Amino acid sequence: MSATTRRLTTAQALVRFLSVQYTERDGVRRRLIAGTWGIFGHGNVAGIGQALVEHADVMPYHQGRNEQSMVHAAVGYARHLNRLSAQAVTTSIGPGATNLVTGAALATINRLPVLLLPGDYFASRAADPLLQQLEHPVEADVSVNDTLRPVSRYFDRVTRPEALIPSALNAMRVLADPAETGAVTLALPQDVQAEAYDWPEEFFAMRVWSVRRPAPDPVELSAAVAAVRAARRPLIVAGGGIHHSEAEESLRALADATGIPVASTQAGKGSLRHDHPADLGGIGHTGTAVSDDLARTADLVIGVGTRYTDFTTASGTLFQHPDVRFLNLNITGFDAHKLAARTLVCDARTGLRQLTEGLAGHRVEEAYEAEYRAGKERWERVVESAYRADDDSAVPAQTQVVGALDAVVGDEDVVINAAGSLPGDLHKLWRARSPRQYHLEYGYSCMGYEIPASLGVQQAAPGTPVWALVGDGTYLLMPTEIVTAVQENLPVKLVLIQNHGYASIGGLSESVGAERFGTAYRHRAADGTFTGAPLPVDLAANAASLGMRVLRARTVGELRAALAEARACDRPVCVYVETDPAPTAPPAQAWWDVPVAEVASREPAALARERYDTQVAGRRRHL
């Protein structure tokens, strides 16, 4: 070996390369790939597995129980660190690789970086077909890893050692690019992983990837300032880009200077503290009454770092002012141009600062401020009512569980959720105290996200109380990372809510005429019929069997005590509570389009279609 090369296997070279990649923004430097999650099989054990042993001094390894869960954990880690640091996930070929697809979709939809390293078939075709190989009759280069192509922001199959060099560099470029990031997949044929090559030393030199803060175009900025000054009823919609850019203080400065109110998406909640006078809470189908009322009469909607999903726009029915226009500040032109908007393609913090400077001396009318502040006060009374529990001996409702947790957490706590009825309750009711407290994955709304994501957040923020709020449906889908929490000594706090069914989809089923079919957990009697009796399933015992300390709470009073005890616990702990299934959350303040059967013989569906036709008539195309 010459003085300028180093002989390593491809897998060893990749691990060594990943260990010296860094991001830098605002003078702060972080490891780009801070650790690797892995489950080993024949497709990666002798390659990436051996390399992780070889380089254990520079690449931390975390053992997972489910490949999808490992991606969720990595996503939770990256989100909590504002996308400036990420983790890798390695799997074998076959089912290990295909189990990555859901997690990859979640990462890419939410614009969050994760590096996927699945094994692949032999590049040499020496073993053909090998165990778990998909044989395609007309495309011999296809493997199951190709299912990751549409859900990855960058994909490559590394079929020769030297091909790793450009591929690895491109992977880092995408992971560190705030406008392009998402899941990145490097499929690694197992023979290539183990093959040795003389690598140039420059490949292993420390490399710093600058995370850009692009400024707005001066012409776009001037037009944006003019649009805001001309508006009588402007409304800011704060999305997840506020957090990714660490632009919360810049948003607060704009709201303080101009009085423009701020409503937030699920990803953007916490952009302002809940008690800021301009914070109106969530917007859209799961939003607050004050946010949605103002959205209907806004003449300028200023979207900052949002993708405008159908929940935010109430499926195109929310923004009803006849002359409403949109101004979108986003780091990607793709999102900035949505709803035929005037655009500011730039970093959120940089753009907000320059917009505030351009609006010096401008403020909304006093009557408008008084209107939305009064609406905020009215909604706060709704929150208090939903949280209130007058009888400590009663079985708690779900909103009272949220209220009891609200009373226990501190500003630094993180609350994680993703699917079911809880996202709606939390978006309407939760009082976010800090930028990273409210962690809702609602881009993919993926059941099973909460527990593994809590591990990633706990790794990103040691010493921070991290709460995973989980319904019985999500728990049954993916509880296995509890074992990982115990193994890694990650003191996450699981709040397990048992209501014996899919509460959210059950309510939706009823509203669209499907009569809650298939949404409850019911016991099948000997004659084959279903009864109303709950299944004899003890989820608390299951959590305990996986190594968690479990606190059972049967009443409101016991729940409060259990949550306080759990917050002080220094090991993984579960608070288990069965809730009164009767809905107590405020109803939806805006519509959501779920098409209803156009013809049906059953009355519930026919009535639901009548309601649907009335609602859909309010949809607008913003052009």
Side-chain angles (χ1 to χ4, degrees):
M1 185 177 71
S2 71
T4 58
T5 63
R6 189 185 311 188
R7 191 161 182 79
L8 298 170
T9 69
T10 303
Q12 292 165 359
L14 176 58
V15 171
R16 177 61 65 175
F17 168 84
L18 293 177
S19 73
V20 291
Q21 306 303 303
Y22 291 82
T23 63
E24 186 171 274
R25 187 172 70 181
D26 305 329
V28 178
R29 187 171 295 181
R30 292 182 181 273
R31 276 277 294 267
L32 176 51
I33 304 299
T36 299
W37 289 88
I39 296 176
F40 295 109
H42 70 94
N44 65 340
V45 65
I48 292 292
Q50 191 281 329
L52 288 169
V53 174
E54 189 93 3
H55 298 291
D57 57 327
V58 295
M59 180 57 68
Y61 166 71
H62 310 292
Q63 184 182 48
R65 268 72 197 174
N66 177 287
E67 292 85 0
Q68 178 181 321
S69 291
M70 294 192 297
V71 185
H72 292 338
V75 165
Y77 177 90
R79 174 172 170 172
H80 196 77
L81 293 177
N82 299 320
R83 308 192 298 189
L84 298 174
S85 185
Q87 294 175 322
V89 176
T90 181
T91 71
S92 187
I93 65 174
T98 52
N99 280 351
L100 296 174
V101 174
T102 296
L106 181 148
T108 295
I109 284 170
N110 286 285
R111 318 293 207 262
L112 293 167
V114 60
L115 176 61
L116 308 180
L117 304 173
D120 214 320
Y121 57 65
F122 281 67
S124 66
R125 312 295 172 87
D128 186 32
L130 75 158
L131 178 65
Q132 299 178 321
Q133 180 177 337
L134 172 71
E135 294 183 272
H136 196 287
V138 296
E139 295 180 84
D141 63 341
V142 168
S143 82
V144 295
N145 286 328
D146 288 276
T147 60
L148 289 160
R149 288 182 184 271
V151 294
S152 297
R153 293 294 290 170
Y154 179 80
F155 178 99
D156 194 13
R157 179 175 287 113
V158 183
T159 56
R160 292 179 58 86
E162 61 267 37
L164 176 66
I165 295 175
S167 185
L169 290 169
N170 275 320
M172 299 303 103
R173 171 186 60 80
V174 173
L175 288 170
D177 188 331
E180 295 293 330
T181 196
V184 167
T185 300
L186 299 183
L188 302 171
Q190 57 180 308
D191 55 343
V192 176
Q193 290 180 47
E195 187 174 346
Y197 182 74
D198 292 330
W199 303 89
E201 282 291 345
E202 293 88 348
F203 188 54
F204 307 113
M206 186 178 77
R207 196 177 303 267
V208 179
W209 301 85
S210 178
V211 180
R212 298 183 295 275
R213 287 194 181 278
D217 177 83
V219 174
E220 286 193 338
L221 179 62
S222 178
V225 169
V228 177
R229 287 184 177 275
R232 298 283 304 277
R233 300 179 65 83
L235 173 66
I236 294 171
V237 176
I242 295 284
H243 296 310
H244 299 329
S245 178
E246 298 174 310
E248 296 89 359
E249 286 301 311
S250 298
L251 177 65
R252 183 184 58 78
L254 176 61
D256 288 344
T258 65
I260 299 174
V262 177
S264 56
T265 68
Q266 286 279 16
K269 193 173 172 74
S271 294
L272 290 181
R273 270 187 63 100
H274 73 96
D275 52 3
H276 189 283
D279 180 66
L280 307 183
I283 190 171
H285 178 64
T286 54
T288 68
V290 59
S291 287
D292 289 347
D293 286 347
L294 258 68
R296 293 183 182 96
T297 60
D299 57 358
L300 180 68
V301 178
I302 307 167
V304 184
T306 177
R307 298 189 300 122
Y308 284 114
T309 68
D310 61 341
F311 259 57
T312 298
T313 68
S315 300
T317 65
L318 186 58
F319 306 112
Q320 288 296 323
H321 190 288
D323 299 318
V324 65
R325 291 293 180 265
F326 296 83
L327 167 64
N328 291 340
L329 192 164
N330 204 293
I331 201 164
T332 71
F334 177 81
D335 289 317
H337 282 275
K338 289 177 178 175
L339 303 178
R342 189 181 301 279
T343 62
L344 273 177
V345 181
C346 59
D347 168 72
R349 193 171 82 179
T350 303
L352 286 170
R353 286 179 176 178
Q354 294 194 17
L355 188 61
T356 303
E357 292 171 3
L359 291 169
H362 174 74
R363 193 168 184 87
V364 300
E365 296 175 358
E366 290 184 7
Y368 185 49
E369 280 194 78
E371 177 187 342
Y372 71 68
R373 290 190 181 193
K376 178 180 173 67
E377 290 178 5
R378 288 194 299 273
W379 188 257
E380 185 60 27
R381 292 193 290 272
V382 173
V383 174
E384 290 289 350
S385 177
Y387 282 180
R388 186 180 303 116
D390 297 324
D391 183 0
D392 276 5
S393 65
V395 173
Q398 182 165 281
T399 57
Q400 292 166 343
V401 174
V402 175
L405 184 62
D406 173 85
V408 166
V409 300
D411 288 7
E412 69 276 19
D413 292 40
V414 180
V415 175
I416 300 174
N417 186 240
S421 56
L422 274 166
D425 293 359
L426 292 164
H427 200 207
K428 293 188 191 87
L429 304 175
W430 187 259
R431 297 160 167 161
R433 297 156 168 79
S434 60
R436 276 299 173 211
Q437 181 174 81
Y438 186 88
H439 184 127
L440 263 283
E441 188 290 297
Y442 216 57
Y444 208 40
S445 186
C446 185
M447 292 174 64
Y449 173 81
E450 297 91 340
I451 296 174
S454 71
L455 309 190
V457 172
Q458 194 75 81
Q459 289 177 329
T464 298
V466 179
W467 302 83
L469 274 58
V470 178
D472 45 24
T474 279
Y475 182 85
L476 287 167
L477 188 74
M478 199 172 293
T480 51
E481 297 312 315
I482 287 175
V483 177
T484 305
V486 173
Q487 176 176 327
E488 298 258 345
N489 196 28
L490 296 170
V492 296
K493 298 150 198 340
L494 171 63
V495 180
L496 176 51
I497 300 173
Q498 169 68 280
N499 56 21
H500 300 287
Y502 299 115
S504 174
I505 206 67
L508 177 63
S509 172
E510 185 173 36
S511 73
V512 297
E515 304 176 55
R516 293 185 177 262
F517 177 77
T519 63
Y521 304 152
R522 295 180 298 171
H523 182 73
R524 188 188 292 272
D527 62 1
T529 61
F530 285 103
T531 70
L535 296 177
V537 175
D538 190 340
L539 299 184
N542 179 261
S545 76
L546 296 177
M548 268 197 156
R549 180 185 177 194
V550 175
L551 306 173
R552 292 177 183 259
R554 293 177 294 274
T555 67
V556 172
E558 290 179 1
L559 174 64
R560 292 184 181 129
L563 291 172
E565 185 175 348
R567 190 172 188 273
C569 192
D570 61 358
R571 55 170 284 196
V573 60
C574 170
V575 175
Y576 174 83
V577 57
E578 293 201 33
T579 57
D580 183 340
T584 54
Q589 305 297 307
W591 188 57
W592 180 41
D593 189 349
V594 177
V596 176
E598 193 167 359
V599 294
S601 60
R602 297 179 68 85
E603 184 179 11
L607 293 174
R609 181 67 194 197
E610 291 179 11
R611 296 192 297 271
Y612 178 82
D613 288 338
T614 299
Q615 294 285 355
V616 78
R619 193 199 314 277
R620 292 183 61 182
R621 296 283 187 185
H622 296 287
L623 301 172

